[in-house]
Amino acid sequence: MKKWLTTALAATLLASVVTIVPTTAIPTTTVEAAGVQNTTIIVKAGEVYDGKGARFIAGSALGDGSQKEGQKPIFRVENGGTLKNVVLGYPAADGVHTYGNATLENIVWEDIGEDAMTIKESGTVTLKGGSATNGDDKMFQINAASTFKVSNFKGSKAGKFIRQLGGSTFKVNVTIDNCDISDMKEAIFRTDSSTSTVKMTNTRYHNVGTKFIGVKNITESGNTSY
């Protein structure tokens, strides 16, 4: 009898504990496994995606990293999202797309692919740290009226460091600070818009063609040609 009462009491206590456990799961951010990606990884609005130095490669479903148009990005960063500490290997398809305000930190593009990063919708995009190399055309493509701030970045071996969408007249404000830019076939920044601006400071550059093409509003200080 005593044993039965003890068992019943234990069961009652267990049931009471279970009933007070919250049923709502705590939200978590799932970081996809590094390696070959056949679907675009979406960094949602307000989310911080920390790759912790992992290396990501585009699978055939995203693209082959050539100059063929229409390839998909490995990462899509939505308004207010942050992507940091990732390495994009070869092929990188169309790299990273941003939609609205976005922050990119310590991104390394081992091979630029079609483009390293494309601004798809208006916003302020800040790129801090990292590097990119080995592209046939532009490194960074801007397809909407935006502010693009890049600092502490090393870019080499491409057609252009930054290109505003050809033929567009919307305003883009570009800020380049404390960067190292080399071996551009054409320019550091090219635009067809008379209202777009560039401010470049404390930056080293070498073999960049014509520094700025089509830019009417230029501010420079502390830069060094080597």
Side-chain angles (χ1 to χ4, degrees), residues 12 28 47 54 77 83 99 175 196 200 202 204 211 215 221:
T12 302
T28 58
E47 181 178 300
V77 184
L83 174 66
Y99 290 79
T175 300
S196 290
M200 189 167 81
N202 308 312
R204 300 173 73 246
K211 257 195 303 188
V215 189
S221 67

Side-chain angles (χ1 to χ4, degrees), residues 36-41 57-65 70-75 92-95 114:
V36 178
Q37 308 294 318
N38 278 300
T39 57
T40 296
I41 299 169
I57 301 170
S60 58
L62 298 182
D64 59 7
Q71 295 182 66
K72 298 176 182 179
I74 295 180
F75 287 95
D94 204 27
E114 183 181 353

Side-chain angles (χ1 to χ4, degrees), residues 65-96:
S66 68
Q67 286 304 299
K68 183 172 64 177
E69 294 294 330
Q71 295 182 66
K72 298 176 182 179
I74 295 180
F75 287 95
R76 170 182 170 135
V77 184
E78 297 187 340
N79 187 37
T82 296
L83 174 66
K84 64 181 184 179
N85 302 323
V86 301
V87 177
L88 300 185
Y90 175 82
D94 204 27
V96 177

Side-chain angles (χ1 to χ4, degrees), residues 54-157:
R55 189 168 181 266
F56 298 82
I57 301 170
S60 58
L62 298 182
D64 59 7
S66 68
Q67 286 304 299
K68 183 172 64 177
E69 294 294 330
Q71 295 182 66
K72 298 176 182 179
I74 295 180
F75 287 95
R76 170 182 170 135
V77 184
E78 297 187 340
N79 187 37
T82 296
L83 174 66
K84 64 181 184 179
N85 302 323
V86 301
V87 177
L88 300 185
Y90 175 82
D94 204 27
V96 177
H97 288 180
T98 66
Y99 290 79
N101 299 329
T103 300
L104 310 178
E105 298 180 8
N106 300 321
I107 313 298
V108 173
W109 287 267
E110 293 180 339
D111 186 277
I112 291 168
E114 183 181 353
D115 299 317
M117 186 274 295
T118 303
I119 297 176
K120 302 289 282 187
E121 291 184 0
S122 295
T124 296
V125 176
T126 302
L127 172 61
K128 298 183 289 186
S131 63
T133 190
N134 195 26
D136 291 328
D137 196 3
K138 63 273 186 199
M139 188 172 291
F140 302 118
Q141 172 80 12
I142 303 177
N143 287 349
S146 302
T147 295
F148 180 37
K149 301 177 181 180
V150 53
S151 62
N152 302 309
F153 190 87
K154 184 173 183 178
S156 63
K157 298 180 181 178

Side-chain angles (χ1 to χ4, degrees), residues 176-197:
I176 302 167
D177 182 57
N178 198 33
C179 291
D180 188 322
I181 304 169
S182 63
D183 298 322
M184 299 292 136
K185 299 173 186 175
E186 196 171 332
I188 291 177
F189 177 37
R190 178 172 180 174
T191 180
D192 299 321
S193 172
S194 61
T195 60
S196 290
T197 70

